[in-house]
Amino acid sequence: MRGWLRETAGGLPATYWYLWTGLLINRVGAFAMLFLSLYLTGSRGASEGLAGLVVGAYGAGGAVGVLLGGVLADGWGRRATLVWSHLAAAIGMLVLAFANDLATIAVLAALIGVMHSMPGPAFVAAIIDVVPEERRSRAFNLQFWAFNLGMAAASFLAGLLAETSFLALFLVDAGATLATTVLIAWKVPETLRRTTGRRATRTPGNAGAGTARRPGLVTALTDRTFMVFVGLTFVLAVLTTQTSTIMPLAMRADGLSATSYGIVVALGGGLIVLGQLFVPRLIDGYRKHLVLSASTALLALGFGALALADHLPVYLAASVVWTVGSMLAAPPNAEINAELAPAVLRARYQSVFYLTFPAAAFVAPALGGVSLQHLGDWHWVIVGGLGLAAALGHLLAGPPRERRVAVLRTAAPPASSAIVSTAGAASD
């Protein structure tokens, strides 16, 4: 067992482990927004529909933040983007802790959404910068494991804490974010390499393949193969976002407490902590689109089963199903994203990919709150059907995407060209 752990976790650079540790610390404390809908309806008197819109403002802010974070990480730098976005998020959470007016809370939620989403592209771009390609699957798997290790501890503790003090949720969140800021500023060097030249990027496999394009978000947004993958990931994000936005409202409607919600979320995180390290061996040798199709189908079945859930054991059983789906999806999703991104646009491609999560954080509660209020359990039937449609989409989109990746590898420039220019690099 000890040798297997060394094989799983070894061979990764020190900078990666500082990034990994920062993510873990942040996740242990980053539970306040999980309980925002309960806070709004329980402490601020908001309706389910209004609470969904306010939580949706957080997602809308995240959509802006993830694109801004990608542009800044490619131009300003990975380290600077990580440090200042975390610091601003900590300050915003402190202000939110003492806000009373719903309109003020909505504005703060949107601003915090911006700051919470900005680090995502920089984190992943920095990991790709420092981790060799043959070890990235391991690195991404461990990153997903750290995220859920923190969330498992945070969700259980927050479920208990929310029964007595929502204020403490926001304060602990701010403290953990500040601790991450200090660690990155102290230990993580800048990983973005620069030169004085300016390069265009090519996108083999699309219409106009081989034609130079100005490096920027437009390149990613007009990359058809990549955007199909992003669209399918958006559906996955809508499914997983149900856990933090709509499921707590459904559980409360079934007479279950915030502690019960914390137990369900903690179970999922605990399963990932125990099992995620085994996932690479489980899926090794299978084509990525087949793994993604199977994982999305499991997510669909898990959330669809909530149409029949009235008691905690059913929620826990459904959580096991969708958690296994999430575990299987994490490594191939990250690998495909890295494979499709040109080196000079690494963070921008990451930002477009990560846009799916704040976009889902807006769409899921904004529509889901109304859907749950008016359709009841049929909401979960619709969510399950959407997931099964995405599972079919992965089966259809996988083979052409594999051909595109093969072309990109053949046409890949030498390592020396994977350098981002200083002149105009942040112009988008």
Side-chain angles (χ1 to χ4, degrees), residues 20-403:
W20 184 92
T21 304
L23 177 65
L24 177 61
I25 294 171
N26 195 17
R27 286 299 94 192
V28 169
F31 43 59
M33 302 315 270
L34 281 175
F35 286 80
L36 184 58
S37 60
L38 293 179
Y39 169 69
L40 292 169
T41 54
S43 298
R44 298 303 173 200
S47 66
E48 291 180 349
L50 181 57
L53 289 174
V54 175
V55 176
Y58 173 78
V64 175
V66 76
L67 293 176
L68 179 61
V71 171
L72 290 177
D74 272 342
W76 192 20
R78 323 305 198 202
R79 180 178 180 274
T81 302
L82 288 170
V83 168
W84 290 105
S85 60
H86 278 94
L87 180 60
I91 295 171
M93 193 62 69
L94 284 174
V95 177
L96 180 61
F98 298 99
N100 296 314
D101 180 67
L102 281 174
T104 302
I105 291 173
V107 172
L108 287 170
L111 292 174
I112 292 171
V114 172
M115 299 308 167
H116 274 180
S117 295
M118 282 179 63
F123 261 124
V124 179
I127 289 172
I128 298 172
D129 289 343
V130 301
V131 176
E133 183 177 357
E134 66 274 10
R135 294 176 183 167
R136 286 176 190 163
S137 178
R138 181 188 306 173
F140 289 135
N141 196 60
L142 287 166
Q143 177 199 8
F144 186 68
W145 183 67
F147 181 92
N148 286 279
L149 176 62
M151 289 296 291
S155 299
F156 182 73
L157 294 173
L160 298 176
L161 198 56
E163 297 288 341
T164 57
S165 174
F166 277 109
L167 174 63
L169 292 178
F170 296 112
L171 295 180
V172 173
D173 192 316
T177 305
L178 185 60
T180 303
T181 306
V182 172
L183 176 64
I184 293 171
W186 180 32
K187 287 294 187 179
V188 176
E190 180 54 65
T191 65
L192 176 64
R193 296 182 295 170
R194 304 175 189 273
T195 185
T196 56
R198 182 177 182 90
R199 295 182 182 270
T201 186
R202 299 176 183 271
T203 55
N206 286 306
T211 58
R213 294 187 179 185
R214 181 173 176 269
L217 286 172
V218 174
T219 304
L221 292 170
T222 55
D223 184 334
R224 290 192 299 274
T225 302
F226 177 67
M227 290 305 297
V228 169
F229 171 63
V230 168
L232 292 170
T233 304
F234 172 72
V235 177
L236 181 145
V238 168
L239 267 62
T240 56
T241 305
Q242 302 295 314
T243 304
S244 60
T245 58
I246 305 304
M247 191 180 73
L249 301 177
M251 293 185 70
R252 191 183 63 178
D254 287 332
L256 299 172
S257 67
T259 300
S260 297
Y261 169 63
I263 291 171
V264 173
V265 177
L267 172 64
L271 287 173
I272 291 173
V273 169
L274 294 174
Q276 189 66 45
L277 295 180
F278 296 93
V279 167
R281 289 190 173 186
L282 182 64
I283 65 177
D284 188 35
Y286 291 94
R287 296 165 71 182
K288 295 184 183 69
H289 69 281
L290 297 179
V291 175
L292 287 174
S293 179
S295 63
T296 306
L298 288 173
L299 283 159
L301 293 174
F303 285 106
L306 295 186
L308 305 175
D310 293 315
H311 304 288
L312 181 59
V314 182
Y315 280 97
L316 292 172
S319 174
V320 172
V321 177
W322 74 60
T323 299
V324 172
S326 297
M327 291 166 63
L328 296 176
N333 256 332
E335 286 183 86
I336 291 169
N337 191 22
E339 288 170 348
L340 293 174
V344 294
L345 300 178
R346 189 164 282 160
R348 285 175 170 88
Y349 266 66
Q350 293 294 334
S351 72
V352 174
F353 173 78
Y354 274 92
L355 180 62
T356 59
F357 299 99
F362 171 75
V363 171
L367 297 182
V370 176
S371 173
L372 184 68
Q373 185 174 344
H374 295 285
L375 299 179
D377 289 338
W378 281 101
H379 166 79
W380 300 113
V381 176
I382 294 170
V383 170
L386 183 65
L388 291 176
L392 176 61
H394 277 297
L395 292 177
L396 298 175
R401 185 173 60 233
E402 289 179 344
R403 292 192 291 271

